[in-house]
C-alpha cells in the first residue's frame, strides 16, 4: 500500500530507488561495501562469529549450577535455536552476496527484517521473542567486532561499488553520523532519508554537496519504510513516497529527466566568468572536505577553495590522528590541484556534530557536557591540544610553498584566542626555518559564526587579513536554535532580521577596513540568497562545487549597483524575505529587459 512521509527538504531534486535501511543498534556497527573478491571471506566471518557465540552459549548452558532455574537453561536453548535458524545467519548471506554489505551491516539489516515480522505477530509470547533475537544478534556483532581488527579501517577504501544494471538505492536511517556520511559520500546512494536533522545538519550539507535529493526530520521514516521498498524522494517538497503507484512513478521519472536537462544546461556556464550586469567580478570559491574534491572544484569553474574542512582528514581513523607528513601531503595535493588559485584551509573543527573517534584526556573530562555545540570544539579544542595544533599549522605552512594558502580559524569569540594563534604561527615559522622547510606567506583569517565575533569585528580586523562568515552556526547561535533538532528546525530562519543585520554589518565593516570578506555557509550556495548577499556588498562566495553553476547563473543576471540601492529597505522591513522578493525580483526583470 502506498503512503507518504513528510520531512524537511534539504537537497533538491527527485530520487527513485529501493530503500536501504541502516538500523540503529545498541552496538556500534560499521557500514561499508565490500568488493566481489571479499564476499567469501565476509561470509566466513559471519559463520565464524555464529560458531563463537554458539560455543559461548553451549558453555554457559553446560556450566549452569544444579540449582539454577529451569527457565535459564530453556532461555539459552531459545537463543541457540535462534542462532542456528536459517532465517538469521542464512538470510544474512543474501545481504553479503547480493548487496555486498559487510557482515555487521548484513546482520543488522536482517535483524531489521525479522524484528518487524515479530512485531506483526498476534501471539504476545512470540512477539516478546524479539528481545531474544536482538540479544543474539548483539552477541554475534560483538564477536565480529572482536575479530574485526584492521578490517573497519579499510572501510573507506571499499566504500565504492559499481551497481551498473541494478536498482538505484536510497539510504534510510534514524540519523547518519558525519563519519558515516564520509564513507557513503562516494558510494552508490542516490538519496538520503533520515528521521532527525534540519536544513543545516551535517547530513543535509553532505547531501547537497553530493548533489543528490534528501529529506530529513521525517521522525518515522526508518520505522515505516522496509528494506527494499520502492521509494521516491521529492527533495523539493520534502516528501517521501513509499510503494508509489505506476502513474505517480512515471510522473516523478519525468521530473527526474527534466532536472537532468537543467543540470546539463547550467554546466555550460562552467567557463563563463562570474560578472554581474554592471561589470562587478564575483569570486565563486568551492568548499571541499578532502584533497580529491579540489579536482571537482576546478571542473566546476571555481576560482579557488574558500573552505577546506580539514577535520575530515581526522575522521574514520580508529582513534589515530593524521601525522604532520600525512596532513602536508593532503594539503599540498589540494593546493597543486587548484593550479595557483587560493586555498583556504580551516583548522580542525571538531566537536558538536563532528566528534573524533578518539578522545583526549581533556575531552574525556567533557564527555557528558549537556550542550556540545557550545563546549570544547573548534579553535577551543585546538588550543587545548597545542601539540596537535602546531603539527597542523606546520603542515599547512609547508603546503604554502606550493601555492597560495590562507589559514582560517573557526569559532573565534575572544581576542585572546587570536593572539594565541598569532604566537603559534610565529613559533611554527621558526621551527620550519630551523628545520630547513620552505614556506610562503600565509594570510590569517577568522570565521564569523558567533554573534560576539560579529559585534567585536572592528577589533578583530586589526589583527587578521580576512574574515569568512559561517552562516550555519551564526544563525544557530544568534537564534539559539539547534540546527540538527527537527523539533525546532522550523525556527531556524536565515531571513530573521537579527541574522541579516549581523551579516550586513559584518560585510560592510570588513570592506570599510580594506579586508576581504566571504560567506562560506549554506546561504552562499543557495541562489535564493545570491541577490541579497550581492546587495549587502559581498563579492566572494564559497560553496560546494555542485552549487556553483546555479549561483553563477544568478550572478550573471544581477545588477549589483541597483541591488545595493535596495538593501536598506529590505533590512528595515518587517518581512525581509517578502520585501527582498518584491525588490530584487523587479530589479532582475528590469536588468534583463535592458
Amino acid at each position: 500500500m502506498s503512503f507518504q512521509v513528510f520531512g524537511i527538504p534539504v537537497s533538491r531534486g527527485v530520487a527513485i530507488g529501493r530503500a536501504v535501511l541502516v538500523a540503529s543498534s545498541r552496538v556500534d556497527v560499521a557500514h561499508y561495501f565490500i568488493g566481489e573478491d571479499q564476499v567469501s571471506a565476509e561470509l566466513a566471518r559471519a559463520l565464524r562469529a555464529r560458531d563463537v557465540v554458539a560455543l559461548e552459549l553451549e558453555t554457559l548452558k553446560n556450566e549452569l549450577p544444579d540449582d539454577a532455574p529451569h527457565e535459564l537453561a530453556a532461555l539459552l536453548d531459545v537463543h541457540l535455536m535462534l542462532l542456528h535458524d536459517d532465517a538469521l545467519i542464512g538470510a544474512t548471506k543474501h545481504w553479503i552476496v547480493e548487496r555486498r554489505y559487510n557482515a555487521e551491516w548484513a546482520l543488522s539489516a536482517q535483524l531489521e527484517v525479522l524484528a518487524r515480522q515479530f512485531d506483526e505477530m498476534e501471539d504476545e509470547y512470540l512477539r516478546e521473542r524479539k528481545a531474544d533475537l536482538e540479544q543474539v544478534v548483539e552477541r554475534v556483532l560483538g564477536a565480529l567486532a572482536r575479530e574485526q581488527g584492521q578490517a573497519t579501517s579499510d572501510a573507506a577504501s571499499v566504500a565504492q561499488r559499481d551497481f551498473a544494471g541494478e536498482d538505484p538505492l536510497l539510504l534510510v536511517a534514524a540519523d547518519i553520523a558525519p563519519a558515516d556520511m564520509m564513507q557513503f559520500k562516494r558510494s552508490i546512494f542516490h538519496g538520503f532519508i533520515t528521521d532527525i536533522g534540519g536544513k543545516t545538519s551535517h547530513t543535509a550539507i553532505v547531501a547537497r554537496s553530493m548533489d543528490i535529493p534528501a529529506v530529513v526530520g521525517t521522525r518515522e521514516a526508518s520505522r515505516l519504510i522496509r528494506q527494499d521498498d520502492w521509494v521516491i524522494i521529492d527533495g523539493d517538497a520534502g516528501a517521501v513516497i513509499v510503494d508509489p503507484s505506476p502513474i505517480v512513478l512515471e510522473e516523478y521519472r519525468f521530473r527526474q529527466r527534466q532536472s537532468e536537462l537543467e543540470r546539463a544546461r547550467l554546466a555550460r556556464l562552467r567557463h563563463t566568468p562570474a560578472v554581474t550586469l554592471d561589470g562587478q567580478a564575483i569570486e565563486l570559491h568551492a568548499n571541499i572536505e578532502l584533497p580529491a574534491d579540489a579536482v571537482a572544484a576546478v571542473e566546476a569553474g571555481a576560482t579557488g577553495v574558500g573552505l577546506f574542512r580539514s577535520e575530515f582528514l581526522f575522521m574514520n581513523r580508529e582513534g589515530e590522528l593524521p601525522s604532520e607528513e600525512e596532513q602536508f601531503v593532503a594539503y599540498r595535493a589540494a593546493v597543486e590541484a587548484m593550479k595557483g588559485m587560493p586555498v583556504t584551509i580551516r583548522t580542525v573543527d571538531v566537536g558538536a556534530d563532528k566528534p573524533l573517534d578518539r578522545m583526549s584526556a581533556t575531552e574525556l573530562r567533557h564527555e557528558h557536557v549537556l550542550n556540545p555545540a557550545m563546549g570544547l570544539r573548534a579553535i577551543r579544542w585546538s588550543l587545548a591540544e597545542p601539540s596537535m595544533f602546531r603539527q597542523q599549522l606546520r603542515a599547512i605552512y609547508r603546503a604554502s610553498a606550493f601555492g597560495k594558502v590562507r589559514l582560517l580559524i573557526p569559532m573565534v569569540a575572544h581576542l585572546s584566542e587570536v593572539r594565541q594563534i598569532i604566537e603559534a604561527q610565529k613559533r611554527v615559522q621558526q621551527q620550519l626555518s630551523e628545520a630547513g622547510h620552505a614556506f610562503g606567506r600565509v594570510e590569517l583569517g577568522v570565521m564569523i559564526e558567533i554573534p560576539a565575533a560579529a559585534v567585536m569585528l572592528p577589533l578583530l580586523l586589526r589583527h587578521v587579513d580576512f574574515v569568512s562568515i559561517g552562516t550555519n552556526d551564526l544563525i544557530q547561535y544568534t537564534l539559539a536554535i539547534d540546527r540538527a533538532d527537527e523539533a525546532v528546525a522550523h525556527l531556524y530562519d536565515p531571513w530573521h532580521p537579527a541574522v541579516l543585520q549581523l551579516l550586513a554589518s559584518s560585510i560592510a565593516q570588513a570592506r570599510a577596513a580594506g579586508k576581504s570578506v566571504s560567506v562560506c555557509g549554506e546561504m552562499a550556495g543557495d541562489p535564493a540568497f545570491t541577490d541579497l548577499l550581492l546587495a549587502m556588498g559581498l563579492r566572494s562566495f564559497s560553496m560546494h562545487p555542485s552549487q556553483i553553476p546555479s549561483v553563477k547563473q544568478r550572478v550573471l543576471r544581477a545588477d549589483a549597483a541597483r541591488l545595493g540601492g535596495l538593501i536598506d529597505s529590505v533590512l528595515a522591513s518587517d518581512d525581509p524575505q517578502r520585501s527582498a522578493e518584491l525588490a530584487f525580483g523587479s530589479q532582475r526583470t528590469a536588468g534583463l529587459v535592458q
Side-chain angles (χ1 to χ4, degrees), residues 54-343:
L55 181 60
E56 290 174 354
L57 295 175
E58 290 284 3
T59 301
L60 285 171
K61 183 180 175 183
N62 294 333
E63 294 179 353
L64 284 175
D66 294 337
D67 59 349
H70 172 73
E71 291 80 8
L72 189 53
L75 179 61
L76 290 172
D77 283 334
V78 168
H79 282 205
L80 280 165
M81 180 188 68
L82 290 170
L83 184 64
H84 290 290
D85 193 323
D86 197 55
L88 181 59
I89 300 297
T92 296
K93 296 177 183 178
H94 160 79
W95 303 108
I96 297 175
V97 175
E98 299 298 326
R99 286 289 182 82
R100 308 279 175 77
Y101 292 179
N102 65 305
E104 291 87 344
W105 190 358
L107 189 61
S108 299
Q110 186 58 21
L111 171 62
E112 181 74 16
V113 172
L114 295 176
R116 295 195 183 199
Q117 292 178 5
F118 275 98
D119 287 339
E120 292 170 358
M121 292 177 178
E122 295 183 5
D123 187 284
E124 183 178 355
Y125 173 80
L126 292 177
R127 282 202 307 272
E128 292 299 323
R129 301 284 63 77
K130 183 177 82 168
D132 295 312
L133 176 67
E134 290 172 340
Q135 291 168 12
V136 167
V137 169
E138 288 187 12
R139 276 185 171 272
V140 179
L141 288 172
L144 284 167
R146 291 192 297 273
E147 184 205 54
Q148 182 70 342
Q150 183 62 27
T152 54
S153 67
D154 297 331
S157 65
V158 294
Q160 301 183 54
R161 177 187 167 197
D162 182 7
F163 271 81
E166 298 186 23
D167 296 329
L169 303 180
L170 310 179
L171 187 66
V172 184
D175 192 20
I176 309 172
D180 282 337
M181 285 298 293
M182 292 310 296
Q183 289 185 12
F184 292 139
K185 184 173 179 181
R186 283 166 174 68
S187 65
I188 44 63
F189 294 110
H190 291 234
F192 294 108
I193 304 166
T194 63
D195 294 346
I196 66 175
K199 282 185 176 293
T200 55
S201 63
H202 194 77
T203 301
I205 292 171
V206 175
R208 281 192 290 272
S209 78
M210 295 168 68
D211 199 21
I212 61 175
V215 176
V216 303
T218 60
R219 294 178 179 266
E220 297 288 325
S222 69
R223 186 180 66 84
L224 297 173
I225 300 173
R226 301 170 184 263
Q227 292 280 5
D228 274 348
D229 275 350
W230 274 103
V231 175
I232 296 172
I233 298 177
D234 185 339
D236 299 307
V240 176
I241 305 166
V242 183
D243 191 21
S245 67
I247 294 176
V248 171
L249 195 59
E250 186 53 39
E251 177 186 344
Y252 274 97
R253 281 181 173 149
F254 173 76
R255 287 178 55 181
Q256 256 189 331
R257 292 191 292 270
Q258 293 296 106
S259 180
E260 289 167 1
L261 289 172
E262 174 65 11
R263 282 194 179 95
R265 188 180 65 81
L266 286 175
R268 293 198 291 268
L269 297 175
R270 185 179 67 174
H271 298 300
T272 303
V275 180
T276 62
L277 292 173
D278 58 326
Q280 297 273 342
I282 307 299
E283 293 179 338
L284 297 182
H285 291 341
N287 296 343
I288 67 173
E289 277 118 26
L290 296 170
D293 297 337
V295 176
V298 173
E299 291 176 350
T303 53
V305 170
L307 176 63
F308 183 158
R309 297 184 175 101
S310 67
E311 57 270 15
F312 289 98
L313 297 175
F314 291 68
M315 294 180 173
N316 294 329
R317 302 180 56 89
E318 297 298 306
E320 293 295 325
L321 296 181
S323 66
E324 176 185 327
E325 190 65 25
E326 183 180 346
Q327 290 186 66
F328 161 63
V329 169
Y331 303 144
R332 183 184 65 185
V335 170
E336 290 178 336
M338 293 310 296
K339 302 175 181 177
M341 292 181 284
V343 176

Side-chain angles (χ1 to χ4, degrees), residues 302-445:
T303 53
V305 170
L307 176 63
F308 183 158
R309 297 184 175 101
S310 67
E311 57 270 15
F312 289 98
L313 297 175
F314 291 68
M315 294 180 173
N316 294 329
R317 302 180 56 89
E318 297 298 306
E320 293 295 325
L321 296 181
S323 66
E324 176 185 327
E325 190 65 25
E326 183 180 346
Q327 290 186 66
F328 161 63
V329 169
Y331 303 144
R332 183 184 65 185
V335 170
E336 290 178 336
M338 293 310 296
K339 302 175 181 177
M341 292 181 284
V343 176
T344 303
I345 303 173
R346 182 175 69 185
T347 57
V348 60
D349 184 7
V350 296
D353 65 339
K354 291 178 289 187
L356 292 184
D357 297 325
R358 83 147 176 79
M359 298 178 71
S360 68
T362 305
E363 289 169 283
L364 285 170
R365 292 196 297 271
H366 295 80
E367 182 178 6
H368 302 294
V369 292
L370 296 179
N371 194 338
M374 296 186 180
L376 189 67
R377 55 168 296 202
I379 190 56
R380 299 170 182 177
W381 185 80
S382 293
L383 292 176
E385 298 279 351
S387 177
M388 181 284 301
F389 186 45
R390 286 194 297 271
Q391 185 180 69
Q392 182 175 33
L393 290 182
R394 284 195 297 270
I396 291 172
Y397 265 87
R398 288 172 61 189
S400 70
F402 298 86
K404 185 176 181 181
V405 172
R406 307 201 306 172
L407 178 67
L408 181 60
I409 309 299
M411 206 177 176
V412 168
H414 302 273
L415 187 57
S416 60
E417 293 167 336
V418 177
R419 291 193 173 114
Q420 289 181 71
I421 294 159
I422 293 172
E423 285 302 313
Q425 282 183 291
K426 292 177 181 177
R427 183 171 178 181
V428 161
Q429 291 177 56
Q430 182 180 352
Q431 290 175 341
L432 292 177
S433 296
E434 293 172 353
H437 289 299
F439 59 89
R441 181 177 183 272
V442 177
E443 293 184 352
L444 175 64

Side-chain angles (χ1 to χ4, degrees), residues 373-585:
M374 296 186 180
L376 189 67
R377 55 168 296 202
I379 190 56
R380 299 170 182 177
W381 185 80
S382 293
L383 292 176
E385 298 279 351
S387 177
M388 181 284 301
F389 186 45
R390 286 194 297 271
Q391 185 180 69
Q392 182 175 33
L393 290 182
R394 284 195 297 270
I396 291 172
Y397 265 87
R398 288 172 61 189
S400 70
F402 298 86
K404 185 176 181 181
V405 172
R406 307 201 306 172
L407 178 67
L408 181 60
I409 309 299
M411 206 177 176
V412 168
H414 302 273
L415 187 57
S416 60
E417 293 167 336
V418 177
R419 291 193 173 114
Q420 289 181 71
I421 294 159
I422 293 172
E423 285 302 313
Q425 282 183 291
K426 292 177 181 177
R427 183 171 178 181
V428 161
Q429 291 177 56
Q430 182 180 352
Q431 290 175 341
L432 292 177
S433 296
E434 293 172 353
H437 289 299
F439 59 89
R441 181 177 183 272
V442 177
E443 293 184 352
L444 175 64
V446 293
M447 290 196 71
I448 305 301
E449 48 191 344
I450 297 177
V455 172
M456 64 180 289
L457 185 55
L459 187 58
L460 291 174
L461 288 170
R462 299 176 196 170
H463 302 274
V464 300
D465 300 299
F466 69 98
V467 295
S468 183
I469 304 172
T471 53
N472 303 348
D473 273 339
L474 183 63
I475 297 167
Q476 171 175 254
Y477 292 129
T478 301
L479 302 182
I481 299 297
D482 184 347
R483 55 193 174 100
D485 185 351
E486 76 280 2
V488 293
H490 63 288
L491 298 174
Y492 182 93
D493 182 14
W495 288 100
H496 192 286
V499 172
L500 298 187
Q501 291 290 345
L502 287 175
L503 263 174
S505 64
S506 296
I507 294 169
Q509 289 179 83
R511 294 190 67 183
K515 303 294 176 74
S516 62
V517 55
S518 68
V519 170
C520 63
E522 289 300 295
M523 287 178 70
D526 188 343
F529 294 100
T530 304
D531 287 352
L532 175 76
L533 294 172
L534 289 172
M536 290 179 176
L538 188 71
R539 298 297 180 262
S540 181
F541 298 66
S542 190
M543 66 207 75
H544 189 271
S546 65
Q547 298 169 318
I548 290 176
S550 56
V551 172
K552 182 181 287 188
Q553 177 179 255
R554 202 67 176 248
V555 167
L556 294 173
R557 296 176 176 178
D559 185 323
R562 285 192 176 188
L563 287 170
L566 301 168
I567 189 61
D568 288 342
S569 62
V570 173
L571 294 177
S573 172
D574 291 341
D575 186 352
Q577 183 174 7
R578 179 59 178 160
S579 178
E581 288 171 354
L582 292 173
F584 299 159

